[in-house]
Amino acid sequence: MTKTLFITGASSGIGAATARKASDAGWNVALFARSEDKLKEVAHGCASAMVLPGDATSPADLTEAVERAAHQFGGIDAAFANAGRGLNSSGKGAPDEDDIRGMIDLNILGVLWTVGAVLPELKKTKGTLVMTGSAAGKRHIPGSIYGASKWFVHGYAGNMAEEMREWGGRCTVVAPGMVDTPFFESGKPDKLKPEDVADAVMLAIEADPRASVREVFLMPQSM
């Protein structure tokens, strides 16, 4: 029976690359993000895809999307809580309250709402949950609020791994360094590609059931 992967932040970058990798590996993909047009473009390159426009900071949107995907494909075997963002402001001077709230809502609450929506389906399949962490969530960066939000993701992923193992499920955090996506407008020329992170997600969700891949830490080889 074909397995199904639910992906948030699926319209571009890491999420879109993961959708294509999973599709090539024979998975159904349920694509969730705000931009329906971009999701349709990603779905066009996948063999079996479902477009689910919605906001990852909305529990209602996520619950409806998960229910639709489970009904369409007969269940959900893995979920990738990938939606996230950085701060738009430079971080210098007085913090922008709306900017900070927007990032926290997506990077932290969005992960919590995704897990809350998808966990009942994963329990049915003894499935795998993957979260997008960051190299910034593994080291201390002076004053980085974004980094702190990813420390939360790493801690929560470990907590969920312990909870999910009680019923046969698994949880993985994938922690990439700088990735060549619109997320980084500038920076070093040597970056990871979204496909590198997608490979790590596939490693986690296709690992033998006897093995739980708790974390994958990726860094560019050339610095």
Side-chain angles (χ1 to χ4, degrees):
M1 183 176 178
T2 302
K3 292 184 176 182
T4 299
L5 171 62
F6 179 86
I7 306 170
T8 69
S11 61
S12 64
I14 293 169
T18 301
R20 290 188 286 267
K21 289 274 187 180
S23 178
D24 289 347
W27 287 67
N28 303 315
V29 288
L31 310 175
F32 181 91
R34 289 180 298 176
S35 174
E36 185 172 4
D37 289 343
K38 290 182 179 179
L39 287 178
K40 288 179 178 178
E41 290 178 11
V42 176
H44 183 72
C46 299
S48 178
M50 185 176 187
V51 170
L52 297 162
D55 187 340
T57 66
S58 166
D61 284 4
L62 283 160
T63 297
E64 180 183 1
V66 167
E67 290 176 351
R68 289 179 58 198
H71 178 76
Q72 174 74 19
F73 294 123
I76 295 175
D77 302 277
F80 184 23
N82 170 65
R85 52 161 285 196
L87 288 172
N88 294 321
S89 57
S90 65
K92 297 180 180 179
D96 184 319
E97 182 178 341
D98 290 339
D99 196 16
I100 291 173
R101 287 184 182 277
M103 187 191 71
I104 296 300
D105 281 349
L106 185 56
N107 290 10
I108 294 180
L109 295 179
V111 171
L112 293 177
W113 306 150
T114 299
V115 173
V118 81
L119 207 61
E121 293 299 329
L122 294 181
K123 282 185 177 181
K124 297 174 186 177
T125 58
K126 295 184 178 180
T128 302
L129 172 66
V130 183
M131 302 181 194
T132 299
S134 172
K138 292 179 64 65
R139 63 189 181 95
H140 295 289
I141 302 171
S144 175
I145 301 171
Y146 168 76
S149 76
K150 289 302 184 178
W151 276 81
F152 170 85
V153 173
H154 281 247
Y156 186 52
N159 293 349
M160 289 307 303
E162 291 301 319
E163 176 179 329
M164 293 175 70
R165 71 184 301 201
E166 296 177 2
W167 43 264
R170 305 181 293 190
C171 184
T172 302
V173 60
V174 176
M178 193 173 289
V179 182
D180 187 14
T181 70
F183 186 92
F184 294 105
E185 295 180 357
S186 62
K188 300 175 182 177
D190 296 316
K191 303 175 186 176
L192 296 166
K193 296 296 183 183
E195 291 76 15
D196 299 325
V197 186
D199 284 337
V201 177
M202 297 308 299
L203 171 68
I205 67 176
E206 294 199 316
D208 191 281
R210 68 176 175 271
S212 177
V213 180
R214 293 293 184 93
E215 179 179 293
V216 181
F217 180 30
L218 302 170
M219 289 295 288
Q221 180 65 8
S222 299
M223 298 297 292

